[in-house]
């Protein structure tokens, strides 16, 4: 079987330009909710505060997937 031709490597200067996507409703919610949770409970670690904020998303009116 013949070998396939190797793809040409791009040099460091030829990087593909990234497109910036708009933040999702979840991202916007977490951006405001996490500081609020941390302000109410300053003793929480970041991980614990993130869990609480993510749990609040489940019941949020901003959540379109809420059941």
């Amino acid at each position: 079987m013949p070998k396939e031709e190797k793809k040409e490597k791009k040099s460091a200067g030829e990087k593909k330009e990234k497109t910036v996507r708009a933040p999702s409703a979840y991202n916007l919610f977490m951006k405001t909710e996490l500081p609020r949770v941390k302000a109410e409970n300053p003793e929480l670690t970041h991980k614990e505060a993130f869990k609480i904020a993510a749990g609040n998303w489940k019941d949020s009116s901003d959540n379109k997937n809420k059941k």
Side-chain angles (χ1 to χ4, degrees):
M1 289 195 303
K3 290 186 180 180
E4 292 182 29
E5 291 183 31
K6 292 184 181 181
K7 293 181 182 179
E8 291 182 31
K9 292 184 180 181
K10 292 184 180 181
S11 66
E14 296 179 28
K15 291 188 178 182
K16 194 173 189 181
E17 192 172 318
K18 292 185 180 183
T19 57
V20 179
R21 291 190 282 175
S24 67
Y26 177 77
N27 293 129
L28 295 172
F29 175 82
M30 290 301 284
K31 188 173 185 177
T32 58
E33 187 68 8
L34 191 56
R36 188 187 68 75
V37 170
K38 284 185 174 185
E40 289 178 1
N41 305 297
E43 73 283 352
L44 292 178
T45 65
H46 178 76
K47 184 176 180 179
E48 292 168 335
F50 200 92
K51 281 184 182 181
I52 292 170
N56 292 346
W57 168 250
K58 182 172 60 172
D59 300 323
S60 172
S61 62
D62 295 336
N63 186 355
K64 296 176 187 174
N65 298 327
K66 183 170 67 171
K67 293 182 181 181

